[in-house]
Amino acid sequence: MPSHRYRPVHDRVDLPLTERTWPQQRLTRAPLWVPVDLRDGNQALAEPMDPARKRRFFELMIAMGYKEVEVGYPSASQTDYDFVRLIAETDLAPDDVTIVVFTAARRDLIERTVASVRGIRNPVVIHVYTATAPTWREVVLGRSRGDLADLILAAGTDVLELAGHLPHVRFEFSPEVFNLTEPDYVLDVCDAMTALWDASPERPVILNLPATVEIATPNVYADQIEYMHRNLARRDGVILSVHPHNDRGTGIACAELALLAGAQRVEGCIFGNGERTGNVDIATLALNLHAQGVDPMIDFSDIDEIRRTVEYCNGIEVHPRHPYVGDLVHTAFSGTHQDAIRKGMAEHRERAAATGIDERDLEWRVPYLPVDPADLGRSYDAVIRVNSQSGKGGIAYLLETGFGVELPRRMQIDFARAVQQHADAEGAELSASDLWALFAQTYLDAGDTAPALVHYSVDDAHTEITVRLDGVEHTHRAAGLGPVESLISVLAAAGTEIEVLSLHQTSVEAGGGSDALTLIEYRRGANVEWAAGRARSVLEASFAAVLRAARRH
């Protein structure tokens, strides 16, 4: 590999910091978290969010407790502009939530950005950015250091002219690719902006220092942040923010070390979505604090619901090994790990009983589990039973190799309960055919208690569906809804309401061909359950799964 083509960061950025204090610091409180999923993360999606998904994501972040949210790039996207106007014209955002809007340093774009926030009652931050690193100046912008500084100050002047009189509006500046910019230059530019905007403790300016492309070990970024922290003018009128990316896979470490070095605010995405390898993962950062006894100030107590919403809005599944949230992170496949965890859980219960302290308040010290899964709304016991069955009968493996059926991990957990009960009752090991028969009985067979599909038609404009329920036919005709959503609507009109949480497609390979198999996770009343549908077409398999979910229990 031609490694000689690349220059180490120390040859490109000469950092004048010889003594550092960040290695002696400790993280004792959460920073201000600023999720940028609706702007930066949204730009990184193959299919950017439509208004409904964007609103659902925003409502999730508010429910989790975020107090500052970057909601979009209104000058670059009509969808983003309309979403900002929705916030302005409704009570979607609670009064204590700060709304951040993003713009490039160009007057016409700044004008449209300011227009988008008119009428918003919430605190507002107008976030202006320009790339400042030498390669960007020379290759992308074609400007000298002086020319670029003039451009940045002109944009700052435009912001001040257009929005400086608004009492609830504050300003943010990002020197994009800060970590590759000469320290003296970026310090001068930032000081010029805080002077122009008259940064003060009463109306602080946010200086956001991005590691837009990770190019060094995390200690280098920490040094860069500490240099700015110690040398910025008007430091008491500055909120020092960081925005690490993850090109080297060390975005988390960069953010944590930056906080030790004086940063007060972190921009990132909830599960690390973003361009290339992504933005820093706020969930991991926050739960790392939780695991050290520091309140992260964000609620992750129902992490599966958070994951489902983020997956739906992004159209990207969270990796099963993703820290804290992945489906496998509380699963031990090793027998020695399982034994240690079981013993640790038993000892935890015994200590609680002996001391009279509630298990949820007792110090956590269970081997291999850095946090109690119950803190995140999960149960370790449910996961380990699946693993035990997999060790004996290979539930998921046998279904996949015998029938081509790939079950989502959460459905494996659900099905394992049925397998466990059946195996305990029968006292025998189950073959692949036994497992498939039990799967069909558990998720496919609905008997005569499910609604029947009488008729459906789908064209570009409308969907029409008729179902028979308790001998009565119900018809629903809708525009703008997909077939599955239309079926759910006609069932709701007939008095049977279900909420589909996730939908997965696989197939059943048997004989000379294969059938489509749709697997749905749904909520009906207070219960979250699974159902399946099998047919020659994907659409009819999806209908069958929904109808099975709507059966009478």
Side-chain angles (χ1 to χ4, degrees), residues 284-432:
T284 301
L285 283 168
L287 291 171
N288 282 353
L289 288 177
H290 172 69
Q292 295 296 310
V294 177
D295 184 352
M297 306 300 290
I298 302 295
D299 185 1
F300 286 95
S301 61
D302 190 355
I303 204 162
D304 286 328
E305 179 64 22
I306 296 168
R307 186 202 61 249
R308 276 192 291 262
T309 300
V310 173
E311 287 178 333
Y312 166 75
C313 294
N314 284 342
I316 300 173
E317 291 192 359
V318 172
H319 194 281
R321 298 291 185 191
H322 190 110
Y324 299 106
V325 68
D327 279 335
L328 297 180
V329 296
H330 298 134
T331 301
F333 289 96
S334 162
T336 56
H337 285 211
Q338 290 181 1
D339 180 61
I341 290 168
R342 286 195 185 98
K343 289 176 179 176
M345 297 287 282
E347 192 270 345
H348 186 77
R349 288 190 293 268
E350 291 166 3
R351 276 193 295 125
T355 60
I357 300 174
D358 188 282
E359 288 185 29
R360 295 300 308 278
D361 294 325
L362 191 64
E363 179 189 354
W364 181 257
R365 58 183 197 189
V366 174
Y368 300 112
L369 293 179
V371 299
D372 185 350
D375 292 350
L376 310 179
R378 288 184 168 176
S379 164
Y380 184 80
D381 291 338
V383 178
I384 198 169
R385 282 201 301 269
V386 172
N387 186 260
S388 295
Q389 289 295 327
S390 295
K392 296 173 184 176
I395 298 171
Y397 176 79
L398 288 177
L399 283 179
E400 183 173 354
T401 57
F403 295 91
V405 174
E406 297 182 17
L407 300 184
R409 183 65 185 173
R410 295 189 299 282
M411 194 174 193
Q412 292 179 28
I413 295 171
D414 193 82
F415 185 39
R417 297 188 184 98
V419 173
Q420 179 92 48
Q421 292 170 2
H422 184 87
D424 288 345
E426 298 295 325
E429 191 154 333
L430 301 174
S431 67

Side-chain angles (χ1 to χ4, degrees), residues 9 20 32 40 60-61 141 145 160 190 194 198 200 210 261 268 301 322 347 390 392 409 430 451 510:
V9 67
R20 51 198 53 80
L32 174 61
D40 208 350
L60 169 73
M61 292 188 283
L141 302 174
R145 283 174 50 144
L160 193 61
C190 286
T194 57
D198 193 22
S200 67
S301 61
H322 190 110
E347 192 270 345
S390 295
K392 296 173 184 176
R409 183 65 185 173
L430 301 174

Side-chain angles (χ1 to χ4, degrees), residues 119-179:
I120 293 183
R121 297 173 297 279
N122 299 71
V124 172
V125 170
I126 296 177
H127 181 181
V128 182
Y129 82 97
T130 303
T132 54
T135 300
W136 277 254
R137 292 197 308 260
E138 297 160 9
V139 176
V140 181
L141 302 174
R143 291 179 179 267
S144 67
R145 283 174 50 144
D147 289 342
L148 185 62
D150 290 343
L151 180 151
I152 292 169
L153 285 172
T157 301
D158 290 337
V159 170
L160 193 61
E161 174 193 334
L162 296 166
H165 61 286
L166 301 175
H168 65 296
V169 173
R170 294 186 292 109
F171 307 135
E172 175 178 356
F173 172 62
S174 285
E176 189 189 5
V177 213
F178 154 81
N179 58 324

